[in-house]
Amino acid sequence: MNDDHRDDSVEDNVVEEDSLDDVTEYIGRDESSHSLSLAKQSMPHRMYVLPVSNRPFFPAQVQPVVVNQKPWQETLKRVSETDHHILGLCFLDNPDQEEAVPDTGELEVMGCAVRVHQAQAESGKVQFIAQGIQRFRIVQWLRRRPPFLVEVEYPDEPEEPKEELKAYTLAIISAIKDLLRSNPLYGEEVKQYLSRFGPEDSSPLADFGASMTSAKGHELQDVLNTVPLLRRMEKVLLLMRKEQEVARLQAEINEEVNDKVQKHQREFFLREQLKVIQRELGMAKDDKTADAERFQARMDELDPPEHVKTRFQDELQKLQVLEQGSPEYGVTRNYLDWITQVPWGKMSEDHFDLLEARRVLDRDHDRLEDVKDRIVEFLAEGSFKGEVSGSILLLVGPPGVGKTSIGHSVADALGRKFYRFSVGGMRDEAEIKGHRRTYIGAMPGKFVQALKECGVSNPVIMLDEIDKIGASYQGDPASALLETLDPEQNREFLDHYLDTRLDLSKVLFICTANQLDTIPRPLLDRMDSIRLSGYIAEEKLEIARHHLLPRLLKRAGVKKKQFNITDAAIRQVIEGYAREAGVRNLEKQLHKIIRKAIVKLLETPDNQVRVGVGDLVGYLGQPPFRKEKAMKGEGVVTGLAWTAMGGATLSIEASRIHSSQRGFKLTGQLGDVMKESAEIAHSYISSNLKRYKADTAFFDKSFVHLHVPEGATPKDGPSAGVTMATALLSIARKEAPKQSMAMTGELTLTGQVLPVGGIREKVIAARRQKISTIILPDANRGDFEELPEYLREGLEVHFAKRYSDVYQKVFSDKPPSSNSVH
């Protein structure tokens, strides 16, 4: 939106010298009245308002205003239908919020009422002439969506001493004269002002003086907010003094630039002669020679391949023949600066002490024994062959389980430099492979920048959030990563900016992701996946004691003797406030407790703050997670699910609605795959009712409703097949399943139970809910047996090849009772 538009046409706006004298003389006259002064008008108390950005509008202004047609055409149409054609213009500093200003509170309440003239729409914009009339203040919003309608009031100016008023008026007139001399383009605006007001109209004169300045929007709004005239004129004079100082400095700069232009040729020859003399005497070197020697000295310290040396010498020779004022000189200089900062041939020595690596991993992480074993095996392989190269690790797990910190630990264990950057949301291929030198502001890609910052050619580079990488018309970064993360190709990685082959085979790449589904399959095939599952309560308690609390206390400057929290309280925080798979939210809750404890320490410095279970409500409020009461009864079965946040339990409910007709209804925001699983379960149970000792005609005359609670959460996947089948069989047999039992598995039409993923996360979810019996597909037996002993301990696990195996564990083998009531 542009409400400060001036026509730059020389023909219309440049004021001749004689005309300028007439204008300034007219401003200086002390007339007692002016025939064209705006009379006090009867103003509406309800009006439409329109936000303007860039700068506020003043009552003394007459200016064109341009607004977007889409949101504001209706506003201008309604204004044109009124008798008075009055519209309110209010300043908005943030134009991105112009359609939501009542809710954001960013719109200024003091604005300017204007009369709208000559509104015209063209090319998606609407332009109109705004004639400023009077200040107003918004009292109440009557309509909070465009077109905005408000109730307003018009503040009255208090009486001011006439002598002081006259003095300020003359000072402003004098300032306007000075501005006219420095910038004749203001003359047209002065003529418009004089056609409406006289020099004795102090209030419009102050507003007009403010509108002539190039002050910032909030400074001009301060003037508009100021109703008392003397205070307003003081602020306007201050702005105009600043404007005069800027004009004076601009004149001095113009004069200085003109002098430099006139003397440029003479100075150029003198400067060149001086450089020659200094070089001959050995007193100094020119910038070009100094740059060339510096780049050569850098390259001499490195051990680049032959093709890099050849490219460097070619570019260095080009630099020496180019003129420093040439654009190509800057491009070549920047290229040489980058190519000599890549650590060609520099390597850090790897530490292959496996005991030290295990110590570092144990120091930084509790539990995760399988993950630590996998990393130690990886380091052992590198130790055996003498180098860690050609390796790309992918750490997969829910947020907050320690993926990034494990990357740091691997770098520490190897003694390598560590560099991390996130590729989440990255949409430009040039972020990976660099920009070509032909573009202005071109830079190498992230990998070259990582090598430069680390100073070695074999750092550990972590690519965070690789499952959230994007794609756009600028290219597909995931495809660009295929070359980078391929051990057979990255030894000759080509960065578009350097345009030379770069060996990345010595780099250890570690990627992180929350899930594998969104990672392109060719990219996933190049990575060695290590899965990090969520933590159970006992693991979280150890992590809080050994890592989170010491780090938070150190960060807050609190000594251990000043703060104490019981294990029972930490466990309650885990179960009542931070049940997610990771520990990030647990850290936030502990930090919140420590902040509140610091307040108490400041009040009573000598006392230790003790936090027990009973104190948590005062520190954290009521727990969002309460102890869940297991759902039970006919048709209710607990399933196990996997999400990007970790494992979860899922209760599935089935109910017979009526027996007047056959039907099957699904609710719970289920995805297509889960709907198909439900249809398969319904078909399988319907065709095998006799085998499972239920009424064979039950589904022929029943309308059945299957629901998965928490309907606001989308759900999908095939692993709930056996759970849905069990819920349907429960209502057909009129028998409730056994309690404290959960299950997972994909069901086929022939009754086979197929394997599913996420076994570790699902087992953790079952332990979290105190479920003691689990039914898993027989094909997942190996996945379960690979789990750590502390996760398997205390669980009764049954493995099913067919649904009949599930049936035997869930139901008694007796026929259903004929007098059971559903």
Side-chain angles (χ1 to χ4, degrees), residues 440-451:
I440 296 174
M443 290 183 65
K446 285 288 188 182
F447 296 112
V448 175
Q449 296 178 39
L451 297 183

Side-chain angles (χ1 to χ4, degrees), residues 48 152 178 220 251 258 311 316 343 376 444 477 490 551 599 670 676 691 711 739 756 775 782 794:
Y48 293 99
V152 302
D178 290 339
L220 295 175
N258 289 334
R311 186 59 179 270
L316 191 62
V376 170
N490 63 13
R551 183 166 69 230
V599 176
L670 310 183
E676 291 177 358
R691 177 181 181 183
Q739 299 305 308
V756 294
I775 299 177

Side-chain angles (χ1 to χ4, degrees), residues 6-8 13-15 20 23-24 175-190 212-214 243-244 246-248 250-251 254:
R6 296 188 180 95
D7 188 10
D8 293 332
N13 283 333
V14 174
V15 182
L20 177 60
V23 171
T24 55
I176 292 176
K177 287 181 180 180
D178 290 339
L179 288 178
L180 279 173
R181 292 190 188 98
S182 63
N183 189 355
L185 292 177
Y186 286 119
E188 194 66 32
E189 294 188 12
V190 174
M212 289 181 67
T213 67
S214 59
E243 196 73 16
Q244 288 173 323
V246 171
R248 184 185 65 79
Q250 184 178 2
N254 288 337

Side-chain angles (χ1 to χ4, degrees), residues 338-339 341-344 346 391-393 417-424 426 428-435 443-466 469 476-487 489-512 523 526-527:
W338 271 105
I339 200 171
Q341 292 192 74
V342 175
W344 305 102
K346 279 191 174 182
S391 302
I392 296 95
L393 297 180
K417 298 288 185 67
F418 181 82
Y419 184 88
R420 173 198 164 275
F421 70 94
S422 175
V423 296
M426 184 182 289
D428 190 354
E429 173 188 333
E431 293 281 342
I432 302 296
K433 304 198 72 173
H435 303 82
M443 290 183 65
K446 285 288 188 182
F447 296 112
V448 175
Q449 296 178 39
L451 297 183
K452 173 193 170 184
E453 184 169 322
C454 294
V456 291
S457 295
N458 62 338
V460 175
I461 296 181
M462 171 166 280
L463 282 66
D464 233 345
E465 310 293 351
I466 199 169
I469 197 167
D476 183 4
S479 298
L481 282 175
L482 292 177
E483 177 188 0
T484 310
L485 301 182
D486 190 333
Q489 299 182 40
N490 63 13
R491 63 182 66 253
E492 291 188 350
F493 173 74
L494 180 64
D495 184 90
H496 289 159
Y497 181 83
L498 294 181
D499 203 22
T500 58
R501 298 292 175 179
L502 184 67
D503 186 2
L504 296 180
S505 63
K506 306 300 181 185
V507 176
L508 172 56
F509 293 99
I510 300 179
C511 307
T512 71
L523 187 59
R526 287 163 165 79
M527 297 184 283

Side-chain angles (χ1 to χ4, degrees), residues 291-567:
D291 285 342
E293 291 184 0
R294 184 172 70 255
F295 295 144
Q296 185 65 61
R298 281 188 195 168
M299 188 59 77
D300 290 343
E301 295 176 358
L302 302 173
D303 184 20
E306 283 301 322
H307 70 276
V308 175
K309 290 180 182 178
T310 304
R311 186 59 179 270
F312 170 75
Q313 292 299 333
D314 292 344
E315 295 293 331
L316 191 62
Q317 290 175 10
K318 183 197 296 186
L319 182 79
Q320 291 170 339
V321 299
L322 289 171
E323 291 295 335
Q324 286 184 268
S326 167
E328 185 68 18
Y329 180 87
V331 173
T332 305
R333 185 189 178 282
N334 288 340
Y335 177 82
L336 289 170
D337 187 36
W338 271 105
I339 200 171
T340 56
Q341 292 192 74
V342 175
W344 305 102
K346 279 191 174 182
M347 303 281 182
S348 60
E349 185 178 353
D350 288 335
H351 300 158
F352 291 118
D353 187 342
L354 300 186
L355 294 178
E356 175 65 14
R358 171 65 75 170
R359 189 193 66 79
V360 171
L361 292 170
D362 289 339
R363 178 197 68 193
D364 297 339
H365 302 86
D366 280 323
R367 298 297 178 95
L368 297 177
E369 297 302 329
D370 50 342
V371 176
K372 294 176 185 176
D373 290 342
R374 178 67 187 83
I375 292 173
V376 170
E377 291 167 7
F378 168 77
L379 297 179
E381 181 185 5
S383 175
F384 190 76
K385 67 179 182 178
E387 63 174 356
V388 175
S389 61
S391 302
I392 296 95
L393 297 180
L394 174 62
L395 304 177
V396 188
V401 296
K403 299 184 293 295
T404 303
S405 61
I406 283 181
H408 278 282
S409 299
V410 172
D412 289 344
L414 279 171
R416 289 192 180 191
K417 298 288 185 67
F418 181 82
Y419 184 88
R420 173 198 164 275
F421 70 94
S422 175
V423 296
M426 184 182 289
R427 295 179 175 274
D428 190 354
E429 173 188 333
E431 293 281 342
I432 302 296
K433 304 198 72 173
H435 303 82
R436 301 191 184 277
R437 278 198 289 164
T438 51
Y439 296 111
I440 296 174
M443 290 183 65
K446 285 288 188 182
F447 296 112
V448 175
Q449 296 178 39
L451 297 183
K452 173 193 170 184
E453 184 169 322
C454 294
V456 291
S457 295
N458 62 338
V460 175
I461 296 181
M462 171 166 280
L463 282 66
D464 233 345
E465 310 293 351
I466 199 169
D467 57 325
K468 300 174 183 63
I469 197 167
S472 71
Y473 67 93
Q474 295 169 305
D476 183 4
S479 298
L481 282 175
L482 292 177
E483 177 188 0
T484 310
L485 301 182
D486 190 333
E488 300 301 323
Q489 299 182 40
N490 63 13
R491 63 182 66 253
E492 291 188 350
F493 173 74
L494 180 64
D495 184 90
H496 289 159
Y497 181 83
L498 294 181
D499 203 22
T500 58
R501 298 292 175 179
L502 184 67
D503 186 2
L504 296 180
S505 63
K506 306 300 181 185
V507 176
L508 172 56
F509 293 99
I510 300 179
C511 307
T512 71
N514 296 133
Q515 54 189 0
L516 300 178
D517 300 346
T518 55
I519 302 177
R521 178 57 58 181
L523 187 59
L524 187 60
D525 289 343
R526 287 163 165 79
M527 297 184 283
D528 189 2
S529 300
I530 300 177
R531 183 170 290 279
L532 284 78
S533 304
Y535 299 109
I536 59 176
E538 290 78 7
E539 294 174 320
K540 287 186 177 182
L541 180 60
E542 291 182 16
I543 293 171
R545 275 294 180 204
H546 298 159
H547 301 284
L548 302 184
L549 275 174
R551 183 166 69 230
L552 291 171
L553 292 175
K554 182 179 179 181
R555 190 185 302 167
V558 179
K559 298 178 181 178
K560 291 184 179 180
K561 63 181 181 180
Q562 294 177 300
F563 177 82
N564 181 50
I565 181 171
T566 65
D567 287 350

Side-chain angles (χ1 to χ4, degrees), residues 132-258:
I133 299 175
Q134 192 173 351
R135 281 173 173 74
F136 70 84
R137 183 183 290 111
I138 296 176
V139 177
Q140 183 180 359
W141 286 88
L142 303 178
R143 179 181 173 86
R144 306 182 73 86
R145 295 195 305 271
F148 300 132
L149 183 64
V150 297
E151 183 177 329
V152 302
E153 64 180 7
Y154 301 92
D156 294 325
E157 297 178 359
E159 291 290 333
E160 305 282 5
K162 292 186 177 180
E163 292 301 321
E164 291 186 43
L165 210 57
K166 184 175 181 180
Y168 276 109
T169 301
L170 293 175
I172 292 178
I173 290 175
S174 175
I176 292 176
K177 287 181 180 180
D178 290 339
L179 288 178
L180 279 173
R181 292 190 188 98
S182 63
N183 189 355
L185 292 177
Y186 286 119
E188 194 66 32
E189 294 188 12
V190 174
K191 286 183 180 179
Q192 290 181 0
Y193 172 78
L194 292 175
S195 68
R196 302 173 62 208
F197 305 101
E200 78 284 353
D201 295 326
S202 300
S203 180
L205 182 66
D207 292 336
F208 176 70
S211 70
M212 289 181 67
T213 67
S214 59
K216 295 181 179 179
H218 64 87
E219 294 176 322
L220 295 175
Q221 182 63 38
D222 185 34
V223 173
L224 190 65
N225 290 342
T226 306
V227 177
L229 188 50
L230 281 180
R231 283 174 49 205
R232 193 194 324 159
M233 296 177 90
E234 287 177 7
K235 296 178 179 180
V236 171
L237 273 175
L238 180 60
L239 295 180
M240 297 191 78
R241 291 287 182 263
K242 291 181 181 178
E243 196 73 16
Q244 288 173 323
E245 184 65 20
V246 171
R248 184 185 65 79
L249 290 174
Q250 184 178 2
E252 291 178 1
I253 292 171
N254 288 337
E255 184 178 354
E256 185 178 347
V257 169
N258 289 334

